[in-house]
């Protein structure tokens, strides 16, 4: 569970303050148009897991949409440092850079504005451990845009996937997004399946290049497992021995049913368990 206290530490446009002191203009293009890029970095005892990859993804996202980064890649960790504490077991660092504030609302360029920068940290507890019983998955059409590799705050397609779960009465289950007959991603996590000891995960074409995805691929290969970057079709997904999704908050979350049918034994499997343990070891 992430607890976002209004008093949690923040950085806003060059100043450190409490989150509830941050005052964002209603004319900020991030607010009006979703014209911004964000990042979420898990931090354990003050040390970011995969932090360098998260900062690189932030820079790549800003470049992809033509927002000039207010900081160089090597400067970002120093900006974030005062928000993090070695005494905190787990913190989530949120970073957002918008195209900035203009004098009036408009879509068109040029945009004469300085980027808005917001960072804040919250404490959290990783929600999944070895005793986790598994999550139900539901196939849904992928309604998102064609630049899902960009970590933009324009997240309506992702939000609607979760809203669908909610209106179906299964708000805490997981949506598995299907595009052109292939299961490509979940609304806030990457997909993995394991079948006969071979792991498959969709390739980086129009999905978010998840940092936990990249760590899990490396861990699996380190265990001698074969990993193929290929999106499963629905038959491959439902015939898999194991399915799990990954993100920086839920880490590795097993999916034990799809549309009511069990995956494998219907319980979290040994490949997931092994990789979850290896993932925990990365934090030390
Ligand atoms: C659509 C989507 N895919 C995958 C991920 C996982 O990314 P990461 O592992 O870097 O947290 C996220 C994280 O928010 C996401 O929103």
């Amino acid at each position: 569970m992430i607890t976002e206290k209004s008093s949690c530490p923040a950085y806003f446009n060059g100043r450190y303050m409490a989150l509830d002191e941050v005052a964002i203009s209603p004319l900020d293009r991030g607010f009006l148009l979703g014209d911004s890029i964000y990042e979420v970095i898990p931090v354990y005892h003050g040390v970011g897991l995969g932090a360098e990859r998260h900062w690189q993804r932030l820079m790549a996202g800003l470049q992809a949409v033509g927002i000039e980064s207010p900081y160089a890649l090597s400067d970002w960790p120093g900006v974030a440092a005062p928000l993090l504490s070695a005494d905190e077991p787990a913190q989530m660092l949120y970073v957002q850079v918008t195209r900035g504030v203009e004098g009036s609302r408009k879509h068109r360029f040029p945009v004469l504005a300085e980027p808005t920068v917001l960072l804040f940290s919250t404490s959290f507890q990783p929600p999944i451990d070895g005793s986790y019983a598994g999550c139900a998955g539901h196939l849904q059409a992928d309604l998102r845009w064609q630049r899902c590799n960009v970590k933009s705050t324009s997240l309506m397609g992702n939000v609607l996937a979760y809203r669908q779960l909610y209106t179906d009465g299964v708000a805490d289950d997981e949506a598995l997004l299907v595009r052109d007959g292939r299961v490509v991603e979940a609304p806030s996590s990457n997909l993995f399946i394991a079948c006969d000891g071979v792991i498959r995960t969709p390739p980086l074409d129009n999905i978010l290049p998840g940092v936990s995805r990249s760590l899990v691929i490396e861990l699996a290969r380190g265990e001698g497992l074969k990993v193929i970057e290929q999106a499963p079709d629905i038959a491959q997904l439902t015939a898999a021995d194991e399915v799990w999704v990954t993100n920086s908050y839920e880490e590795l979350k097993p999916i034990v049913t799809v549309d009511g049918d069990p995956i494998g034994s219907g319980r979290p499997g040994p490949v997931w368990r092994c990789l979850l343990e290896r993932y925990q070891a990365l934090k030390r």
Side-chain angles (χ1 to χ4, degrees), residues 38-42 54 57 144 148 151 155 158 162 177 185-191 207-214 246-249 251 279:
Y38 77 109
E39 203 39 71
V40 179
I41 308 176
H54 283 278
R57 187 172 65 185
R144 300 172 304 158
C148 291
K151 201 163 167 64
L155 288 168
N158 312 56
Y162 285 128
L177 305 177
E185 205 170 8
S188 60
S189 39
N190 292 115
L191 174 75
I207 61 166
L208 190 81
V211 173
S212 26
R213 173 189 180 278
S214 69
T246 61
N247 68 32
S248 297
Y249 169 57
E251 304 180 340
Y279 191 91

Side-chain angles (χ1 to χ4, degrees), residues 116-281:
T116 299
V117 184
L118 172 68
L119 289 79
F120 61 87
S121 66
T122 54
S123 55
F124 84 108
Q125 188 158 7
I128 289 169
D129 63 17
S131 67
Y132 185 69
C135 179
H138 304 271
L139 297 173
Q140 281 189 22
D142 188 358
L143 301 177
R144 300 172 304 158
W145 69 327
Q146 294 173 35
R147 298 292 302 278
C148 291
N149 60 314
V150 174
K151 201 163 167 64
S152 150
T153 58
S154 307
L155 288 168
M156 187 58 86
N158 312 56
V159 168
L160 289 184
Y162 285 128
R163 181 169 186 273
Q164 186 67 52
L165 292 179
Y166 175 73
T167 55
D168 290 346
V170 290
D172 294 332
D173 290 359
E174 194 55 80
L176 302 174
L177 305 177
V178 181
R179 193 191 295 148
D180 299 330
R182 303 261 163 193
V183 193
V184 292
E185 205 170 8
S188 60
S189 39
N190 292 115
L191 174 75
F192 286 80
I193 71 167
C195 199
D196 297 329
V198 176
I199 294 176
R200 283 188 166 70
T201 190
L204 297 180
D205 60 352
N206 198 18
I207 61 166
L208 190 81
V211 173
S212 26
R213 173 189 180 278
S214 69
L215 294 172
V216 167
I217 290 174
E218 288 168 13
L219 291 172
R221 289 189 172 142
E223 290 299 302
L225 293 162
K226 186 170 179 184
V227 181
I228 302 174
E229 296 194 50
Q230 184 188 77
D233 62 23
I234 293 168
Q236 284 173 312
L237 179 87
T238 51
D241 301 325
E242 299 183 38
V243 175
W244 66 88
V245 294
T246 61
N247 68 32
S248 297
Y249 169 57
E250 295 173 303
E251 304 180 340
L252 290 85
K253 183 170 77 173
I255 305 297
V256 293
T257 61
V258 172
D259 287 343
D261 293 327
I263 295 295
S265 66
R267 289 193 299 276
V271 181
W272 164 78
R273 194 170 300 281
C274 166
L275 294 174
L276 179 71
E277 278 170 19
R278 298 289 175 276
Y279 191 91
Q280 302 312 313

Side-chain angles (χ1 to χ4, degrees), residues 1-5 7-10 39-49 51 54 80-94 120-126 248-249 251 283:
M1 172 121 195
I2 301 183
T3 37
E4 251 140 64
K5 299 190 196 84
S7 58
C8 69
E39 203 39 71
V40 179
I41 308 176
V43 179
Y44 303 97
H45 292 287
V47 180
L49 178 58
H54 283 278
L83 307 177
L84 306 175
S85 165
D87 296 335
E88 290 265 11
Q91 289 176 287
M92 206 53 96
L93 176 67
Y94 181 83
F120 61 87
S121 66
T122 54
S123 55
F124 84 108
Q125 188 158 7
S248 297
Y249 169 57
E251 304 180 340
K283 300 176 186 175

Side-chain angles (χ1 to χ4, degrees), residues 20-96:
D20 61 1
E21 287 168 28
V22 172
I24 294 175
S25 165
L27 290 176
D28 194 292
R29 290 176 62 99
F31 173 69
L32 290 175
L33 305 171
D35 188 1
S36 71
I37 297 293
Y38 77 109
E39 203 39 71
V40 179
I41 308 176
V43 179
Y44 303 97
H45 292 287
V47 180
L49 178 58
E52 177 79 359
R53 298 180 199 192
H54 283 278
W55 294 123
Q56 281 168 352
R57 187 172 65 185
L58 175 72
M59 295 297 277
L62 291 170
Q63 190 176 23
V65 300
I67 296 176
E68 193 174 341
S69 178
Y71 299 107
L73 177 63
S74 56
D75 291 338
W76 280 108
V79 175
L83 307 177
L84 306 175
S85 165
D87 296 335
E88 290 265 11
Q91 289 176 287
M92 206 53 96
L93 176 67
Y94 181 83
V95 182
Q96 185 175 347

